Every structure is written in C-alpha cells, then in structure tokens.
Amino acid sequence: MNKPLSAVSNLGAIDAAHHLHPFSDMKKLNAAGTKIINRADGVHIWDSNGKQYLDAFAGLWCVNVGYGRKSIADAAYAQMQELPYYNTFFGTTTPPTTLLAQKIAEKTGPKLNRVFFSNSGSEASDTWFRMARVYWKALGHETKTQVIARKNAYHGSTVAGASLGGMKWMHEQGNLPIEGIHHINQPYWYAEGGDLTPEDFGLKVARELEEKILELGEENVAAFVAEPIQGAGGVIVPPSTYWPEIKRICAKYKILLVADEVISGFGRLGTWFGHQYYDFEPDLAPIAKGLSSGYLPIGGVLVSDRVADVMVNELGDFYHGYTYSGHPVAAAAALENIRIIEEEGLVERVRDDTGPYLAAALASLTDHELVGEAVSVGLMGAVQITAEKATRRRFKKPDDTGTVVRNQCVDAGVVLRATGDRMLFSPPLIISRSEIDQAVGTLRNGLDWLKDNRGEG
C-alpha cells in the first residue's frame, strides 16, 4: 500500500526545486520555506509540523461548507466510477452537468436561467467578456465592444481577467490591459472619500460610470463590471447610494450590467448571491469558489434571459468553451455542496446569526487606536488599520503594516488575509460564534503588537 503523499519526506525542498507558486516572489519564498498544509477539518487546517490554524479566510474565499465533507468526496467518487469525464461540445451533456445548471438557476432569481460552465472565476471573466461583445454584434451593434470596470478590482489573472481588474501592478506584467477596457474609481470611502459623506461619495463615484459612457459614446460601450463588494481589493463595501445609482445608469444607457459573483455567491453575504443583497439583476454574472466550496475546480457564468435569448435564437455557434466545461465530477461535487448549504440552512444562518455576530465582533475593534473602520456584510468583513483616526491618515507603508499584523495572527494560529492595511475576514459559513471570537480576539492582539512596535508610521 502506498504511503500518504503528506508522508513524503523533504516536501519543502521538492517544492522549492519544482513548483512555481501563484502571486509569489519565488526567491523570497524559497528562502523562507513553504508552509506545507496537509490536513483540514471543519474550519481548521494543520501544517506538516502538526500546528493547527483556524482558517478565517476559507482557503481563498471559497470553502463555504468547511473542510472534511465526506459526502462531497463520496459524490465525486461515485461519479468517477460511473462516468469520470465527457465533454459538452458536440451535442452531448452529462446528468450532473445538466442538473447543476438547473439547481443554480433555482437560486439566482427569475431572469437568470442559464449557465455557461468554466473551470475557474478567471475563465468565467474571459467567458462573459467575449459573450458581451458577441451579444451586441448579434444584435447589429458591432461598435459596442468597450467595457468599463473599476480601479483596484479583481476579476482573475488570465489576460482578459487581469485586464478587467483594476490593479496596476498586475497590468505592469504582460502589457495590460488589453484594448477596449477602461477603469473608473472604486467606492472606497475611507481612503478616497475626502470630506464627502459616504452617501455623497457613493453617488459621486457611481456617476463616474455615466461620465465614462458619455466620453466613450453609448454606441461603443458593451458592459460595466463590478463585484457587489470588492474582495481582493480589500473588502470594499460600497455606500448605500452606490448600487441603486449604478443600476439606474446601466438601464438608462442600455449597457450590460455584469456582477462578479465569484466571491459573493453561494451564501457569503447571507443571500445566495450578492446581487440579491443589493437588489439588482445583472445581465451576466461570473461564479466559482463557493459553487463547489473549492473541493473541485468549477466556475461559470450566469446568463440572463435577455442575453441568452439572443445567443440561442440569433447567434448560431458560439466559438468558446473549455475541455472541462461542466466536468461531470466537478458538477457532482457542486451539486452535493449546494445540497449541504440548503439542508443546513447556511445562507439563513449567515443572514440571521453569524453574519450579525461577526459585524458586532468587528465593530468592537473600533475602540482600538489603530482601527479606522470595521465593515462587513454576512461573513465578509474588513478592518482598516489607521495611523491616526481623526484624519484617516494611513501608515507610510500600508502593505508592510498589514503583512506584519497578518503574520502575528498566523503565528497565533488564525489565518486572515491582509490587503494593504486592511485585515480581511471570509471564514467558512459553518464558523461558530466562539470561533469568530477567537479570530477577532487574535486580530486585536496583533493590533496591540503593532501599537507597541509601530515606530513613526
């Protein structure tokens, strides 16, 4: 019998010699050494030294139902035995693929009834980007190719995904963004709102969309894309005035509204999807992460009836897809994942119990002299580190500040994420109140360490 892979000796050296990690400075990583994670259960992970961590970030925003769900593994295994793979290209499908599309459509709302499957959120971004342009061309509007997105947004790391995202340091690698993508400001009131109230600032940045449409020409704009809440950009929760104004502008100028639901989908905000929380109906919406809780790679695009009717009745062939689009094993795992979310009432639990509890726990940190704001929706939250509360002045090196606090938390056994000087929470939806207390208490200790060792800032 073969020994477990986690029992292979010298994994760190093997990793350094052969594995190039995503979003990593490999020289620094190899010098520091890779942390080997070899076991997980519930909301906890363990490294190869046997140290336990509370994973308050759900892997990478994705392990919504928690680790160790045997029924998902069983569903995948059963599907592998029956049909491990078949494609969906040549007039064929598989039972779990078709049933998953139906199940997702049950959760999205009345006007999102179709799904195009991919393998990741990045691929989903590439998919809707092409789909939007093809849609308008099929209607005879061949000039409607331009897409408007937001600065500091994240929509994946493929060429189109990274271009749609508004992170300049990503654009610097690969001569991005590609032609036809434009960026407006984000609704980040704390850092960019100045003397405006959050409500006035929300209207101001939303109306930049209208200004950009008029600058480019309505006849040239295909779509606007945004995350309901910006995730990797720092859990930027928009002011209450923002989404109603965005919805009004997209309707006025008849451009497609695209909601990036890769993070906010499948219960994280206490609703099945983020657009439901903010009460708008997107024309297209990429999904991934919580779709299978990360157990197997799968993503897709929710397609509104408005777009699907054109694709079905007017377009003809859509020359786009992936070898593993709607992979039957991944689809079987996703179906079981959704069944767990339904049966255990996790969406309702986040909405009525743990979401409000996390909000109160994070709000308790605002008495700390280094906390400027604490915001959350459902189980997605952020704590803003500040050098001076009254002026919202930030530390001179925000990235270093957040990394220091994050490392303090990890050393203490809680995994959080830092985006610049914002500490991010995105735990599994099964997290308990006591585990929320542990995570927030550990962050307070990390902030105390920073206070005692802050230097001049």
Side-chain angles (χ1 to χ4, degrees), residues 112 128 132 135-136 147-148 150 209 213 221-228 242-261 275 278-286 301-304 306-307:
L112 288 162
W128 77 252
Y135 164 81
W136 286 115
V147 172
I148 303 169
R150 299 192 302 203
L209 172 60
I213 293 170
V221 179
F224 170 69
V225 60
E227 303 156 272
Y242 182 80
W243 274 112
E245 187 68 358
I246 291 292
K247 181 169 67 172
R248 180 193 70 79
I249 292 166
C250 289
K252 177 180 178 180
Y253 293 99
K254 298 180 176 61
I255 69 170
L256 298 179
L257 175 54
V258 183
D260 188 325
E261 296 276 13
H275 67 267
Y278 285 106
D279 190 28
F280 69 93
E281 293 180 330
D283 297 292
L284 298 164
V301 178
L302 309 179
V303 183
S304 67
R306 169 188 178 183
V307 176

Side-chain angles (χ1 to χ4, degrees), residues 206-359:
R207 287 168 182 168
E208 288 187 18
L209 172 60
E210 187 165 32
E211 294 168 8
K212 182 61 71 173
I213 293 170
L214 293 173
E215 174 191 328
L216 297 171
E218 177 185 352
E219 71 280 6
N220 299 316
V221 179
F224 170 69
V225 60
E227 303 156 272
I229 295 173
Q230 278 177 224
V235 182
I236 308 302
V237 178
S240 61
T241 52
Y242 182 80
W243 274 112
E245 187 68 358
I246 291 292
K247 181 169 67 172
R248 180 193 70 79
I249 292 166
C250 289
K252 177 180 178 180
Y253 293 99
K254 298 180 176 61
I255 69 170
L256 298 179
L257 175 54
V258 183
D260 188 325
E261 296 276 13
V262 171
I263 291 173
S264 56
F266 300 96
R268 181 142 306 279
L269 305 189
T271 50
W272 276 95
F273 295 95
H275 67 267
Q276 294 163 337
Y277 180 85
Y278 285 106
D279 190 28
F280 69 93
E281 293 180 330
D283 297 292
L284 298 164
I287 57 175
K289 294 190 185 292
L291 172 55
S292 70
S293 285
Y295 277 64
L296 284 172
I298 187 170
V301 178
L302 309 179
V303 183
S304 67
D305 295 343
R306 169 188 178 183
V307 176
D309 287 350
V310 171
M311 295 192 68
V312 171
N313 298 314
E314 307 293 337
L315 178 63
D317 288 332
F318 180 41
Y319 301 116
H320 184 86
Y322 310 96
T323 300
Y324 305 120
S325 290
H327 193 288
V329 178
L335 276 168
E336 177 59 17
N337 172 70
I338 294 173
R339 187 199 66 78
I340 291 170
I341 295 173
E342 289 178 321
E343 187 171 288
E344 298 184 6
L346 294 182
V347 176
E348 295 78 14
R349 178 178 173 180
V350 172
R351 182 191 66 205
D352 300 332
D353 181 14
T354 50
Y357 191 83
L358 175 64

